Structures are given as C-alpha cells and as structure tokens.
Amino acid sequence: MDYLILIIGLTLLLFGANVLVDSTVAIAKKARLSNFVIGFTIIGMGTSSPELFISLSSAITGHGDIALGNVVGSNICNTLLILGATAAILPFTIKREQTLRDIPFAIATSILIAVLTFTGSTNGLSRLDGLILLSIFAAYTLYVISKSRSKASPDESDDTSSKYDTFGTPLLVVIALAALGSLLGGGTLFLDSAQAIARAWGISETVISITIVALGTSLPELITCIIAARRGNAQLALGNVLGSNIFNILMVLGIPALIHPFNTESIQIADFGMLILSALLCYMVIFTFGKKRFDRIEGFIFLALYVAYDVYLFIR
C-alpha cells in the first residue's frame, strides 16, 4: 500500500508541477515578461514547487533531515543527473552572463547554506537564517528581472509556448491555484509513504530524502530539460536547472525555516561537499574541452559522478 501511495503522490506532484509551469508561463507571457525571466525564474520556480511543499511539510512535522536532504539531494540531482543528461543529448554553449553571474551565484548559495546549517548552537536553520535566505532571493529576483527587461524585448517570451496561451488571465490563476493544491496533496502523500518505506527497509530518512525523494521531486526538471534538449533548446535546460537550484536553497529552505525552524542530525558535511562540488563542476566545464561549452563527455562524467554518489550514500 505504501508503494501505491508513493506512486499516487508522485503522480499528483508531476501533474501539478506540469500544469503550474504551463499556466505560469502563459501568465508571464500575458504580462510581457522576457523569455529569460520565464526560463530562469518562472519555470525554475514552478518545477521546484514539489521540493517546496515537501520541505515545508517536513519541517513543520519535525523531520528536518528530510527538509534539508530533499534540497541538497535535488540540487545534486539537478546538476549532475539533469545537466549531465542534457549535455549527453545536446552539448551547449555557456553564455557570458551565466559565467559571470548565474553560475557563481549558484555556487555562493551552496556555500551559504552549508555555513548557515553548521553555525549556531545546533545544526539546522533558524528564523533568522530563513529571513536571510528569503531576503537574498527577493533581491536577486528583482535584479534578474530588471536586467532582463533592460536587455531584452518583451516579444522574446513568444519562444516559450504553453498549451494555455489562449486562456484568459482569471482562468489561468484558477488553474495555477488548482495545480498548487495538487502539489500540496501529492507532496504530503509522497512524504508519508517515503518515510514508511524507509522505516520498513531500515534505511535512514537522510538517504531516502537525498535519493528517492530528491529524484522524485526533480522529475519535473528532468522531463523539462530532456524535452528542451531534444528540441534543440539546451539553454532553457540550463536556465531551468540554475533557477531551480537557487530557488531550492533560498526559498525552499527559507520559507520552512521562517515558519518553523528545524534541526538536522544526519546530514553530513560530505553531503554539502558534494553539493558545492557539483556547483563548482558546473563552472569548471567552461574551461575544459569545449571552451565555454558543456560537451557530451562532460555530460557522461556528471552522470557517472551522480551514480557514484548514490552508491556511496547506500553503503556509508
């Protein structure tokens, strides 16, 4: 029964995430936002909604390890598995603004969350930490939007289509709210069943959250990026992953910490080390084989590292 509930919860998560992305893209286009803002913020936030609901419900119910492990695992999965798979399908060029701003900022947020978690009287995140994370997110989002509007014309958003493009704004808002409800219900079912399965198999919540839960909540990003790569739009995949990783750390952990501070006991420094390493590797590919390109061989290296890390988690 737990496995059936897990599948139902995951189905609701995927359905809610897909509908939320489509509806918010349509809303963004009607608001004449640029294609960059849609890819980096709207789609990135939409596909990270499952992580938000799972981390929030985990923190409130006293499962800080799942809340934190979900984000750490999701970001590692996003970078190593999803970007690796994208590059393996379609190598792509890393643009100058991504080199100078977006990737370094993703690295900085990875380091920041490790510092905040392991400072203070106990390992975890306080309300002050949550406020810091949310403030940084708000400032960065406003900066990205302002820079995008100053460089791009609103018509660029026409490159990103949605099946809800012909719907009116009021209906789109209703659809988005319904999708959020699906995410909330699916997140709760998925979390409860994952905990039950972990206990039945004698596996720690940390390993479950970093692997099964993280991979499950990263499926919207994985599906989006693979489809984008196959359609020749790998830049959308990179923007989706970078936006999701930044959103995961600053919002997915910031909101639960502000509402209900939580501690963690089993998330290890090695897990944060892999989180930071994966972000650094994303920057290092700029200087390797392809000269600011994410090549196929680097994609396979990322995939191999993800498999090796998962094996390490289960045997440690």
Side-chain angles (χ1 to χ4, degrees):
M1 180 60 71
D2 289 327
Y3 291 97
L4 177 61
I5 294 174
L6 185 77
I7 294 172
I8 293 173
L10 182 57
T11 301
L12 288 173
L13 279 168
L14 292 174
F15 173 77
N18 287 325
V19 173
L20 182 62
V21 169
D22 282 336
S23 58
T24 51
V25 165
I27 292 172
K29 290 181 67 176
K30 290 182 182 297
R32 300 182 66 80
L33 294 172
S34 72
N35 194 39
F36 177 79
V37 171
I38 293 174
F40 191 80
T41 60
I42 302 298
I43 295 180
M45 294 176 194
T47 55
S48 287
S49 298
E51 286 93 333
L52 174 59
F53 286 112
I54 286 180
S55 292
L56 182 58
S57 59
S58 299
I60 292 175
T61 55
H63 297 280
D65 287 330
I66 287 185
L68 195 54
N70 177 33
V71 167
V72 172
S74 291
N75 279 22
I76 293 172
C77 179
N78 285 348
T79 304
L80 296 183
L81 175 61
I82 297 177
L83 275 187
T86 301
I89 295 172
L90 180 69
F92 56 90
T93 301
I94 299 177
K95 295 183 178 180
R96 185 172 183 271
E97 66 181 6
Q98 296 162 348
T99 303
L100 298 178
R101 183 189 69 192
D102 303 324
I103 296 177
F105 188 76
I107 295 172
T109 56
S110 299
I111 296 173
L112 174 63
I113 195 60
V115 172
L116 292 178
T117 299
F118 291 106
T119 56
S121 56
T122 58
N123 293 342
L125 297 176
S126 65
R127 281 195 172 88
L128 178 59
D129 295 331
L131 183 60
I132 291 172
L133 294 173
L134 292 175
S135 298
I136 293 174
F137 177 79
Y140 185 73
T141 301
L142 290 174
Y143 172 76
V144 168
I145 292 175
S146 65
K147 293 295 289 186
S148 175
R149 285 179 172 172
S150 67
K151 290 183 178 181
S153 64
D155 292 337
E156 286 184 5
S157 62
D158 293 340
D159 294 334
T160 306
S161 61
S162 168
K163 60 185 177 182
Y164 301 122
D165 283 343
T166 59
F167 290 18
T169 300
L171 180 58
L172 288 172
V173 172
V174 172
I175 292 174
L177 291 175
L180 286 174
S182 176
L183 284 167
L184 180 59
T188 301
L189 292 176
F190 194 93
L191 174 64
D192 291 343
S193 57
Q195 289 175 311
I197 293 172
R199 288 191 294 268
W201 283 83
I203 300 173
S204 71
E205 288 187 346
T206 302
V207 174
I208 288 293
S209 64
I210 293 178
T211 55
I212 297 176
V213 176
L215 180 59
T217 55
S218 290
L219 282 177
E221 287 94 333
L222 179 60
I223 294 170
T224 300
C225 290
I226 289 178
I227 292 174
R230 293 190 63 182
R231 292 178 179 176
N233 195 351
Q235 278 297 319
L236 177 62
L238 178 60
N240 183 15
V241 166
L242 291 176
S244 294
N245 283 1
I246 291 171
F247 182 81
N248 282 348
I249 291 176
L250 299 181
M251 283 287 282
V252 173
L253 289 179
I255 291 177
L258 188 64
I259 295 175
H260 192 285
F262 58 90
N263 297 328
T264 178
E265 297 179 356
S266 54
I267 302 293
Q268 300 180 7
I269 294 179
D271 301 318
F272 283 100
M274 179 55 73
L275 173 67
I276 296 171
L277 176 62
S278 63
L280 288 171
L281 287 174
C282 192
Y283 188 79
M284 290 172 62
V285 298
I286 299 169
F287 307 103
T288 55
F289 305 103
K291 296 181 180 180
K292 294 188 178 181
R293 278 180 57 82
F294 204 143
D295 285 331
R296 190 166 279 114
I297 187 172
E298 293 162 333
F300 284 116
I301 290 173
F302 273 43
L303 292 174
L305 284 173
Y306 180 73
V307 172
Y309 176 63
D310 278 357
V311 171
Y312 160 76
L313 286 175
F314 280 100
I315 65 175
R316 74 179 181 186

